[in-house]
Amino acid sequence: METRTAQLLKIASKFLLASPATAVESPGEGFINDTYILHTADADTDYILQRKNRNIFPDVPRMMENIRLVTDHIRRKVIERGGDPMREVLTLIPTRDGELYHKDEEGEYWVVTLFIPRTVTYSQADSEDLARKGGKGIGKFQSELDDFCRPLSETIKGFHNMRHRLMQWDEAIAADRAGRCASLATEIGWINARRDEMLHFWELVETGTLPLRVTHNDTKISNILFDSDTNDVLCTIDLDTVMNSTSLNDFGDAIRSYANTGAEDDPDLERVGLSLGMFRAYTEGYLSQRARQLCPAEIDNLALSARYITFEQVLRFLMDYIDGDRYYKIKYPGHNLVRTHAQYRLLESMEEQYGQMDALVHQIFEKYR
């Protein structure tokens, strides 16, 4: 029987590598995809091999076409400004048949990208300086795609779509699969009390008041590559969720993770809240790249987007708890309820400081407009 390494090297041979892969390294367990580093006979050229999770991404071919369109566009921008297209944008490696993926005998999808050397990533933003750079990284990504005009496929149905989420919510409440709703009157009230306001935000997208743009949709700082020599932003990675939506989704999701003083599932709610310093730093970095490209409605709703995305996460954690913990992996019984309470405390903190958040957005916007 073939070893796992032999199997992976065989898969790697299906791709147009500059030189054959000779060794495989696993950098660690991924949350969604299986990721490996392919080492080759050429010491200067390595690759990233990934098995895409077809349970999360049911149409990998369409997802890969999204990534191709976006990276081709960014590459042209990098070349135009005299940058390094081998380091400032992901490079997809085709198969020997000219495809963007290899489908194995078990129906699994594999893709290869060029490994970018002399880079560093961070698991979290632990300083305002790093938050500012993270904001610059996502702002740079969106800025490079501001004039991208081709529609992208929806690879995850209803992503950040509040109308879709609330339909799921109503179905979960009606079904009450785990029989937990009777004990959750307070938490269910949190959702219902904010339902109209959050749906109104999404209506701004549906009516075009908030324009559709290219969004990354997974803006945690670990998805930004930094140059290991200068610590400057190089490029954004993990483009599986690239789709068309409002730019504000990326901003709001980043604030939810960067500016939280506690953990996403922190059992001690005293530790949870919004750091205005981290909010200011991320906004500064983001608007340094985007202020001149965003329309007035986007600026006016930028701070609200953080509340919108955090509310959505409260809803999703609570809905999964009501549903019997079927979507998110849990570490212990009640984990999703702990997550719900922690995210709700963050949402409350945002609501308490919303006036300051909005004022900071407009102040920083005036600096860069």
Side-chain angles (χ1 to χ4, degrees):
M1 181 179 293
E2 283 185 317
T3 65
R4 184 56 173 164
T5 297
Q7 292 172 344
L8 294 172
L9 290 175
K10 186 175 180 180
I11 291 168
S13 71
K14 305 293 184 181
F15 292 85
L16 282 173
L17 309 184
S19 58
T22 57
V24 180
E25 175 187 349
S26 177
E29 182 180 355
F31 289 112
I32 295 177
N33 302 314
D34 295 331
T35 303
Y36 306 91
I37 299 176
L38 298 175
H39 298 288
T40 70
D42 180 354
D44 294 326
T45 306
D46 292 333
Y47 299 89
I48 298 291
L49 171 69
Q50 277 193 326
R51 181 191 66 82
K52 298 297 185 183
N53 189 328
R54 54 185 170 142
N55 294 320
I56 301 296
F57 305 107
D59 196 335
V60 173
R62 291 172 65 194
M63 178 184 78
M64 293 307 299
E65 181 62 12
N66 281 357
I67 296 173
R68 183 191 70 80
L69 290 170
V70 164
T71 53
D72 282 354
H73 189 89
I74 295 175
R75 180 167 289 101
R76 288 193 293 271
K77 291 296 185 71
V78 171
I79 293 171
E80 287 172 5
R81 68 167 182 264
D84 185 349
M86 305 307 289
R87 289 176 60 75
E88 295 182 50
V89 62
L90 286 181
T91 299
L92 299 177
I93 305 301
T95 67
R96 296 183 180 279
D97 297 327
E99 300 289 346
L100 297 174
Y101 55 86
H102 167 67
K103 187 176 181 180
D104 67 18
E105 295 176 353
E106 297 177 355
E108 300 290 350
Y109 289 89
W110 298 85
V111 303
V112 171
T113 56
L114 186 68
F115 178 81
I116 303 176
R118 305 187 312 282
T119 60
V120 62
T121 60
Y122 297 95
S123 59
Q124 63 179 9
D126 57 4
S127 69
E128 291 184 11
D129 180 62
L130 197 51
R132 186 175 294 105
K133 289 180 177 178
K136 181 178 179 181
I138 296 302
K140 176 185 175 185
F141 172 80
Q142 290 186 353
S143 177
E144 289 171 326
L145 292 159
D146 190 64
D147 59 349
F148 182 92
C149 299
R150 299 181 63 173
L152 298 173
S153 298
E154 185 182 44
T155 54
I156 301 180
K157 180 178 173 57
F159 207 63
H160 294 318
N161 181 326
M162 191 56 66
R163 194 173 302 281
H164 175 72
R165 293 299 185 199
L166 288 171
M167 287 176 59
Q168 292 179 317
W169 166 259
D170 290 339
E171 291 169 0
I173 294 294
D176 193 16
R177 289 186 180 90
R180 293 170 171 172
C181 283
S183 63
L184 296 170
T186 297
E187 289 84 352
I188 291 171
W190 295 343
I191 303 301
N192 292 335
R194 294 164 174 82
R195 181 183 186 118
D196 290 345
E197 181 184 19
M198 296 305 165
L199 192 56
H200 174 69
F201 177 92
W202 188 251
E203 287 172 351
L204 297 177
V205 179
E206 293 174 323
T207 61
T209 303
L210 294 176
L212 291 180
R213 302 185 186 272
V214 179
T215 48
H216 185 282
N217 293 304
D218 190 5
T219 53
K220 57 181 178 284
I221 197 164
S222 59
N223 284 334
I224 299 175
L225 282 187
F226 294 83
D227 188 298
S228 58
D229 296 326
T230 65
N231 208 35
D232 290 334
V233 170
L234 266 184
C235 69
T236 304
I237 59 174
D238 195 0
L239 305 181
D240 294 359
T241 53
V242 165
M243 289 179 278
N244 294 120
S245 192
T246 167
S247 292
L248 276 57
N249 285 344
D250 281 354
F251 180 87
D253 197 28
I255 294 301
R256 186 183 73 84
S257 62
Y258 280 66
N260 188 353
T261 58
E264 185 179 68
D265 59 350
D266 208 317
D268 184 354
L269 300 184
E270 294 296 320
R271 292 192 293 241
V272 178
L274 176 87
S275 164
L276 274 179
M278 294 292 277
F279 176 85
R280 179 190 297 107
Y282 186 90
T283 305
E284 174 93 17
Y286 179 76
L287 287 179
S288 73
Q289 307 296 305
R290 292 289 277 154
R292 296 182 179 181
Q293 297 171 334
L294 299 180
C295 70
E298 288 172 305
I299 296 299
D300 289 343
N301 287 279
L302 201 60
L304 180 58
S305 71
R307 290 169 51 199
Y308 176 88
I309 294 294
T310 305
F311 170 84
E312 181 189 23
Q313 202 56 61
V314 175
L315 182 152
R316 293 184 66 190
F317 283 145
L318 182 56
M319 183 166 59
D320 196 36
Y321 181 71
I322 289 169
D323 218 22
D325 308 306
R326 295 150 59 97
Y327 185 84
Y328 292 107
K329 291 181 180 178
I330 59 172
K331 297 179 180 178
Y332 52 85
H335 191 187
N336 272 325
L337 190 56
V338 170
R339 288 165 165 156
T340 299
H341 288 170
Q343 286 295 283
Y344 182 69
R345 177 59 202 128
L346 177 61
L347 176 61
E348 283 187 313
S349 181
M350 289 177 176
E351 292 171 342
E352 292 159 4
Q353 301 180 81
Y354 180 64
Q356 294 167 278
M357 292 165 64
D358 188 54
L360 281 170
V361 166
H362 284 85
Q363 175 187 330
I364 294 167
F365 169 70
E366 290 298 326
K367 176 180 178 180
Y368 289 108
R369 63 181 302 179

